[in-house]
Amino acid sequence: MKKMLFILSVLVVASMVLAACGPSGPAECADELGCAEYGPDDPIRIASALVITGPDAQLGLDSQHGVEIAIAMRGDVAGHSVELQAEDDGCNAEGGQAAGQKIVSDPSIVAVVGTSCSGAGVPMSKVISEAGYVMVSPSNTAPSLTDPAQAFNPGYLRTAHNDKVQGAAMAKFAYEVLGLKTAAAIHDGDPYTEGLANAFRESFEGMGGKVVAFTAVSKGDTDMKPVLTAVAASEGGAPEFLFFPVFTAECAFLAKQTKEVSGLENTIAAAADGCFSAAAAEAIGEAGNGMYFSGPDLSFSGDTYVTFKQQYNTLFGSDPISVFHAHAFDATNMIFDCIESVGVTGADGSLSVGRAAMRTCLYATSGFQGITGTLTCNQYGDCADPKISVSILENSEYKRIWP
Amino acid sequence: MQRRLQNINYLDFVLWFIRVSIIVFVAWGTIATLLDNPYSADVWVNFTVLGLAQGSMYALIAIGYTLVYGVLFMINFAHGEFFMSGIMTATVFIAGPLSASGYLNNHPVISLLLILVVSMITSVGVAILTERVAYRPLRKAPRLVPLITALGASTFLQYTFRGLFGSEVKPFPQVEALSGKISFLGTEILQTQMVVIIATVIMLVGLYLFVMRTKTGKAIRAVAEDKDVAALMGIDVDRTIAITFALGASMAGAAGVLYALVFRQVHFYMGFLPGLKAFTAAVLGGIGSIPGAAVGGLFLGIFESVGPPLFLDGLNVPAYHQLKDVITFTLLVLVLIFRPQGIVGERLAEKKA
């Protein structure tokens, strides 16, 4: 009996030693937040959580196309193919929460590209952060998401600009370039629109302008005339400049109805990147002539963008349909770079990617050469190389005019 | 008296407290606004006309809810999609091409009639198909079953139309003949709003006469009263129910055209919220009653437009227009507390309730 035990224990110890240094075992995980593990033939799985249904679907589909092109152009990552699980953020808090829960219940997902809308990003970044995952948003621009005093959660990063930059750019354009002294802003209660409208107000007032009305509509509203009538009748007089950084449907209603409200006939209307797409230009139609739009500067140069656009046309049959495809492409490639640098490949070809290591790697991204510029992340996840431009809409064509 | 007091329990007390506090709040807000007087009289007239135009559309859609509820005691949540389907189709196949060729602005009357006819026919077609496929097989099922089916049909129709016409917002062309303003009670209102209000009145009166004066209308009323007895009297119940759906859908199709004239854009998701609001309007007015749907719709439209500035401006509530749904649904709750049968609704017979 004693002899048998001895032999057994020798065998156990021997097999453990063999497993530790032998050439056949899978990669070990020593990460404090756990690892995403893939067998030798398994694809690496990433998720996207973008708005792909509902009225703002164009915005999210465009970004999703960016992710798909990044996967197609990259080929294998760390010796594995890549599989995308596409979720819908619904462009609202409930959708972000649901998509987040679904993603963190799947241990094979290593990282998330999302969300499209800041409103969905707030709850989702909490879910993702608590589960130890990591997300990179291509289009959340609300200042609160990377503000540790507000909605920042570790594990959240973004390649989109912070709206403090965009709001200030629009205010500067209105006050200095157009020379207008009174303005009004309308948002729809979404963190993105409210944050941007607030950033605009602060900058415009900081430069010496007067914001005569600062109000809001609701998502899904169609009749904006009561709000606009109230804005036209505000105490400081009808504004010379009206900024409504809302999404396509509401933006088009506001653009059309502004011209119909007494007192606002000569007011210059402006919107932002949530309403900056070919589809939005078509929806607004002739009412948009002379309207201004701020957004990320899309005059990208470089060979990657040329190839990207060709791929977009081949795979999806059109030019990019909204503005954040390149940001999604860069976000995906940042994730791939980090998988390659922190992933541990076992001798059998299996791959283990530590989640804490993934986070550290992404926050340490520095000098990353993407389509949208040279990206360097700060400790709160702002990675963008923000370039904001203002375009004017003429006959359903956007013309970049400033800077 | 003594016994009545004893019967007042805790719940009654809380309910009365809520009612009184809402009324006090509304009165306080209204007085504060009127004292502050932020808007001139013509702005108030403007708010009212805006509300009337929006309410007219709610009224037309609400008719569909009320008619179907009258005969089937079922809330047809797919009704908003009947509204969407007609005008989406008419925009893509009629209004878009007519506008591109310039015909729309050269012959506005013919074009608009064509758009109206196509929109109404499509809505009616979708409604009859939905009734046949999704509701008729469930006629004998418990009342909760068709309700769930209606929600399913609603989603199905939305995404069918998304598949057919795409997910982007589609512009409806500006009709130049209707683009100006006319003066009215010291203010200027849009011609399209005038068209909406007048067209709604004509259609509602027409519908009322149809239901009250024609043989088919009589059949609808008979089926609403008692299906079994109506069948014994030689009325084809299935056919009458299909006609009821068609009537409601034709009103929704017309409402779609008015919507497109005023808001000039359509979208596969556009039916959801107006559908919900129109349902509210139908309940507000008294579901099952045609004048009720009309009154409820107009009431709701005016409250949405006038309510926020009137009740909330004086209380210095920021961005009070966002709260218009709070106001309208509070109104709904209040009306249901004081008049459960709706503003003009009759008390339902025991059998129906």
Side-chain angles (χ1 to χ4, degrees), chain A residues 52-53 55 58 188-189 215-218 220-223 225-227 230 233 249 252-253 256-257 260 262 282-283, chain B residues 39 43 47 50 54 159 162 167-169 171 181 190 193 259 262-265 267-268 273 305 319 321-322 324:
Chain A
I52 48 177
T53 58
Q58 299 267 336
D188 70 4
T215 183
V217 295
S218 309
D221 275 5
T222 53
D223 197 357
K225 292 187 212 88
V227 183
F253 284 127
K256 288 172 186 172
Q257 295 171 24
E260 297 176 346
S262 306
E282 203 200 324
Chain B
Y39 305 118
V43 175
F47 281 139
L50 293 170
Q54 179 73 56
Y159 285 91
R162 180 192 156 164
S167 65
E168 64 271 13
V169 176
K181 291 181 178 182
L190 294 168
Q193 289 170 340
Y259 176 99
V262 173
F263 298 123
R264 304 209 301 283
Q265 68 192 54
H267 187 257
F268 78 94
L273 210 59
S305 168
H321 282 283
Q322 268 196 323
K324 71 169 199 235

Side-chain angles (χ1 to χ4, degrees), chain A residues 185-216:
Chain A
I186 300 177
H187 63 86
D188 70 4
D190 182 279
Y192 152 71
T193 68
E194 189 170 359
L196 184 47
N198 258 320
F200 169 80
R201 170 166 69 169
E202 279 164 19
S203 301
F204 195 78
E205 284 177 341
M207 279 183 281
K210 188 167 178 237
V211 175
V212 295
F214 186 82
T215 183

